[in-house]
Amino acid sequence: MLNSLFINHQDQKEALAIERRRRFEESRKQRIFNARRRLIGVDTDILGYQIQEKHETEQAQAEQQRKFAEEMRRQEQVLLLKQREQRQERIREENELNRFRASHQKPEQSRDFDLFDPDGLKKSLPARLGDDDPRLSVSGAQIFDGEDLEERHRRKVQIEQQRSWLEQQIREKRQAEIDRRAAEKFLEDSLMSRENRMHQLATQERYARGKIHEAVNEFNRRLMNEQEQQRMRREREEQEDNLAEIYNNLTSDILTENPDVAKSSFGPNRVITAQYKGMSPEEIEQIRRTQELQLEQLKRKRESEDNTRKAWDQLANDFDRTVTMKERELNRRRHALAEQIRQENHLRSLEQQRKLQHLDKVVYQNRPTQAYFDQFNTCSR
């Protein structure tokens, strides 16, 4: 199926190429043999048509390639599905065969399995299992009527066994009675001891509750006294703290405005902003002198900048004047060169006119006839 699809795709490509060449030949004949539509140079319309036709052809080929790829993918998917189904069917058949062999063709179900059974000797029985063995026959000489060689010993063993059973039952009954009486005695003693213990625990509980009640009352009295003492101590300490705070505020640097407290330990020029009280007269005078010095420096800086700006302006004016002179010189040279080119072109034009007149009057004297033109335009090539 894939080969047939590939052959059809090749045939379609060849048919499209033949049709494309045929249409191009017809359009070329119409363009070349028609004198009204024939053009000298490049026919942009035909080129545009050819480009569009080429694009359409490429799109058609791409579409065919896409369809061919889709068909190939579909065929591959179908083949994969078929192979998967065949593999599953083969596995199912093998499983069915193995189940049939396991259930209907076991080795022990064969007709002559007893000949090569590896456990044959283990499965075989002795010649005589007992007096009632159905395999014993009359001619086998394995059992005889009235034969009981172990009867006396067997009866003696049975009597001894019965005697031992009776003695064991008597001992068990006596021991059960002793155990029952001991259990009843133990139960009575346990009940009496539990009652005594309950009375003892009740007495101890009443005594302990009384002691606990007395201890709780004593603890509450002590706790109340301690709380009262703590309250009085807190009031006394609070009053002392208030008096100390009033004294500290009256004697502190905040109200006295001591300027030394604003000095920082990180440097002589740094202050503590939270305790700063302002500048001294010496500091104010120093700041004023610094400002005057800065004004003088700013004035000198502005004068220097004005001098520099004037120098740059002078330099720019000189540069503009030089550029203007250079442009004028270039313009003069350009006009002179243009005049020289115009004269050369005029001389070449006169020379070309003389050559054309020579060709028309001297060289091109052999004019072609109609027979010369009839041999052309027989085909588009």
Side-chain angles (χ1 to χ4, degrees):
M1 181 179 293
L2 296 175
N3 292 331
S4 62
L5 291 173
F6 184 77
I7 292 171
N8 293 332
H9 179 67
Q10 292 292 337
D11 294 339
Q12 291 178 0
K13 288 178 63 176
E14 292 179 359
L16 289 173
I18 293 170
E19 180 64 22
R20 184 171 62 254
R21 287 196 297 269
R22 186 185 62 80
R23 286 188 277 112
F24 179 76
E25 184 68 20
E26 291 295 332
S27 63
R28 194 166 185 274
K29 286 181 180 181
Q30 294 177 3
R31 185 175 67 256
I32 292 174
F33 294 157
N34 190 353
R36 294 181 178 180
R37 298 182 59 185
R38 186 168 59 243
L39 300 176
I40 298 174
V42 180
D43 193 349
T44 56
D45 296 336
I46 296 301
L47 291 177
Y49 176 74
Q50 291 176 357
I51 292 171
Q52 182 179 2
E53 187 178 17
K54 183 177 180 181
H55 289 170
E56 292 177 355
T57 305
E58 290 177 354
Q59 291 177 0
Q61 291 178 357
E63 183 68 20
Q64 289 178 359
Q65 290 289 340
R66 186 183 63 78
K67 291 181 179 179
F68 178 69
E70 290 180 356
E71 184 65 23
M72 287 185 64
R73 286 195 295 271
R74 189 180 66 81
Q75 294 296 331
E76 289 177 356
Q77 292 177 359
V78 171
L79 290 175
L80 290 175
L81 291 175
K82 289 295 182 182
Q83 290 177 359
R84 191 180 295 111
E85 291 178 358
Q86 291 177 359
R87 185 167 59 255
Q88 292 177 356
E89 183 66 22
R90 185 168 60 256
I91 293 172
R92 187 184 63 79
E93 291 177 356
E94 291 177 356
N95 293 333
E96 290 291 337
L97 180 60
N98 293 330
R99 283 196 296 270
F100 178 79
R101 289 175 177 174
S103 60
H104 297 88
Q105 293 182 355
K106 296 179 180 179
E108 58 270 15
Q109 293 178 352
S110 62
R111 182 177 58 186
D112 51 355
F113 177 71
D114 55 344
L115 299 178
F116 54 86
D117 188 2
D119 297 332
L121 296 177
K122 296 179 182 180
K123 296 178 181 179
S124 62
L125 299 176
R128 179 179 177 180
L129 296 177
D131 294 341
D132 56 350
D133 193 349
R135 296 182 296 114
L136 299 178
S137 60
V138 176
S139 63
Q142 294 293 327
I143 189 172
F144 300 95
D145 293 339
E147 182 181 13
D148 192 3
L149 300 178
E150 301 293 334
E151 180 181 4
R152 183 178 299 176
H153 179 71
R154 177 171 54 78
R155 288 183 180 276
K156 183 179 179 180
V157 171
Q158 289 178 354
I159 291 171
E160 292 294 334
Q161 188 176 9
Q162 289 178 358
R163 184 183 294 112
S164 64
W165 287 351
L166 291 174
E167 290 177 356
Q168 184 179 0
Q169 290 178 0
I170 292 170
R171 286 195 302 270
E172 290 177 354
K173 287 183 179 180
R174 288 178 181 176
Q175 186 65 33
E177 183 66 21
I178 293 171
D179 293 340
R180 184 181 64 77
R181 291 179 181 180
E184 290 178 355
K185 184 69 171 58
F186 178 76
L187 180 61
E188 290 177 358
D189 294 341
S190 299
L191 292 174
M192 291 297 296
S193 63
R194 187 176 66 178
E195 290 291 335
N196 295 331
R197 183 64 178 170
M198 290 178 64
H199 289 296
Q200 185 179 2
L201 291 174
T203 303
Q204 293 177 357
E205 183 179 1
R206 286 194 299 270
Y207 179 76
R209 285 182 179 178
K211 290 293 183 180
I212 291 171
H213 184 67
E214 292 178 0
V216 169
N217 292 333
E218 183 65 22
F219 177 77
N220 289 332
R221 284 194 298 271
R222 291 179 181 178
L223 182 63
M224 184 175 63
N225 293 331
E226 289 179 359
Q227 289 178 353
E228 183 65 22
Q229 292 176 3
Q230 290 178 359
R231 185 182 62 78
M232 294 174 65
R233 186 173 61 254
R234 284 196 301 271
E235 291 179 355
R236 186 171 58 256
E237 291 177 354
E238 184 178 0
Q239 186 176 5
E240 292 176 355
D241 292 339
N242 292 334
L243 293 175
E245 184 178 1
I246 293 171
Y247 178 77
N248 291 331
N249 289 329
L250 291 174
T251 60
S252 65
D253 295 332
I254 296 175
L255 297 179
T256 58
E257 295 184 357
N258 186 8
D260 296 333
V261 298
K263 295 181 179 179
S264 176
S265 61
F266 294 103
N269 296 326
R270 302 184 65 178
V271 296
I272 301 174
T273 57
Q275 299 178 2
Y276 185 64
K277 303 301 181 180
M279 293 184 295
S280 62
E282 293 80 5
E283 293 177 347
I284 295 172
E285 183 64 25
Q286 183 180 1
I287 291 172
R288 187 177 295 108
R289 288 196 300 270
T290 303
Q291 289 177 351
E292 292 176 355
L293 181 61
Q294 291 176 353
L295 290 174
E296 185 66 24
Q297 292 177 355
L298 181 62
K299 183 177 180 181
R300 289 197 298 270
K301 182 179 179 182
R302 288 179 178 176
E303 291 177 354
S304 177
E305 291 177 353
D306 292 338
N307 295 330
T308 304
R309 186 170 57 256
K310 290 178 181 179
W312 278 106
D313 293 340
Q314 184 65 29
L315 181 62
N317 293 330
D318 296 340
F319 183 75
D320 291 338
R321 189 162 48 254
T322 303
V323 170
T324 303
M325 294 173 65
K326 291 291 184 182
E327 287 182 352
R328 290 176 181 175
E329 182 66 23
L330 289 175
N331 289 330
R332 285 195 297 271
R333 292 181 180 180
R334 194 181 298 112
H335 289 311
L337 182 61
E339 182 64 23
Q340 182 180 357
I341 292 171
R342 187 181 64 77
Q343 293 177 1
E344 290 179 357
N345 291 333
H346 180 67
L347 294 175
R348 289 181 181 180
S349 177
L350 295 175
E351 183 66 24
Q352 188 176 7
Q353 289 179 2
R354 287 195 298 271
K355 287 182 180 180
L356 291 176
Q357 291 177 2
H358 176 71
L359 290 174
D360 290 337
K361 296 179 179 180
V362 178
V363 179
Y364 296 147
Q365 294 297 323
N366 188 12
R367 301 293 180 180
T369 60
Q370 186 64 31
Y372 175 77
F373 293 104
D374 292 339
Q375 64 181 345
F376 299 104
N377 292 335
T378 58
C379 65
S380 61
R381 300 292 174 183

